[in-house]
Amino acid sequence: ASDVYKRQELWRWDMFDGLYAVVMSGSLIGIFLQVVPITFLVGLAYAIYRLVKIRKRELSVSWGAEIMRWLFVCYLTGLINLVLVPRNFWTYIWFYLYNGYSGGELDPLFSGNFNLVPTFLKAQTGEFTIGRWVRTMLEGNLIIFLPMGFFLPFVSKTINTRNIFAFAVITPIAIELLQPVIGRSFDVDDVMMNFAGIIIGYFITLGIKATAAKR
């Protein structure tokens, strides 16, 4: 029995070590997993708040709409923690929680870094080569904002085809302008990819709604 217990303990530690390695790998999956716990906690708190409010006021609600709002809250929590905290903040936290001591220092605030020249222009002049890392970052910045455009028609009555383009421009620019304050950098590539993600997500939702309306 003791041998079985030891093997189980070793298996648990191997599993935790493997998960920790993924979380700290710096990959898109690892970065996503770093913010899952805080997203879960905020989502849980919001769900409890809404359930209490609905029950207390005996509100008549659409549970489909409530689920979409809850998903949007979870998404925004994850997004904020991915783009509006210092770059290695969660890596620092996870290292400390797992090892019990600090593994380094947080990046300094107010970096003042601005990249105003799109990567495709740098590539044309030979200044920059579009490699796998660049493609991954561009794709990631598009995909991470696609849910925002997707959820907006479900959670906001003020967003429509007249103002979605303005929203898709203003929101990424505002986020990018805040990033140098937290030690990150303003990147015009991010603005363009974030814009594209919001627009694509928005029109995916319009397509789904139009298809559903025809049935």
Side-chain angles (χ1 to χ4, degrees), residues 139-185:
E139 291 167 0
N141 278 292
L142 186 150
I143 292 171
I144 198 175
F145 274 79
L146 193 148
M148 179 176 287
F150 177 83
F151 282 122
L152 282 174
F154 292 106
V155 302
S156 174
K157 295 180 180 179
T158 61
I159 295 295
N160 51 51
T161 51
R162 293 180 180 179
N163 57 29
I164 184 61
F165 288 94
F167 178 90
V169 170
I170 293 171
T171 301
I173 290 177
I175 290 173
E176 288 299 312
L177 287 173
L178 287 172
Q179 289 199 335
V181 177
I182 59 170
R184 292 174 176 249
S185 61

Side-chain angles (χ1 to χ4, degrees), residues 106-165:
L106 293 173
D107 291 342
L109 302 179
F110 305 104
S111 69
N113 294 328
F114 287 84
N115 172 31
L116 302 177
V117 181
T119 298
F120 70 88
L121 291 180
K122 294 180 181 180
Q124 290 180 355
T125 61
E127 180 183 348
F128 206 88
T129 301
I130 300 180
R132 182 179 179 183
W133 182 85
V134 175
R135 290 197 300 270
T136 300
M137 291 303 294
L138 295 182
E139 291 167 0
N141 278 292
L142 186 150
I143 292 171
I144 198 175
F145 274 79
L146 193 148
M148 179 176 287
F150 177 83
F151 282 122
L152 282 174
F154 292 106
V155 302
S156 174
K157 295 180 180 179
T158 61
I159 295 295
N160 51 51
T161 51
R162 293 180 180 179
N163 57 29
I164 184 61
F165 288 94

Side-chain angles (χ1 to χ4, degrees), residues 52 84 177:
V52 170
L84 288 178
L177 287 173

Side-chain angles (χ1 to χ4, degrees), residues 13-26 30 33-34 90-101 103:
W13 280 111
D14 287 342
M15 181 182 67
F16 286 132
D17 286 343
L19 180 60
Y20 175 75
V22 174
V23 168
M24 302 295 285
S25 65
L33 289 176
Q34 287 182 358
W90 285 109
T91 301
Y92 179 92
I93 295 297
W94 281 110
F95 185 95
Y96 186 85
L97 291 175
Y98 192 82
N99 296 286
Y101 60 92

Side-chain angles (χ1 to χ4, degrees), residues 3-23:
D3 290 340
V4 172
Y5 176 78
K6 289 179 180 179
R7 286 197 296 270
Q8 290 177 341
E9 286 297 306
L10 288 173
W11 178 81
R12 289 193 187 97
W13 280 111
D14 287 342
M15 181 182 67
F16 286 132
D17 286 343
L19 180 60
Y20 175 75
V22 174
V23 168

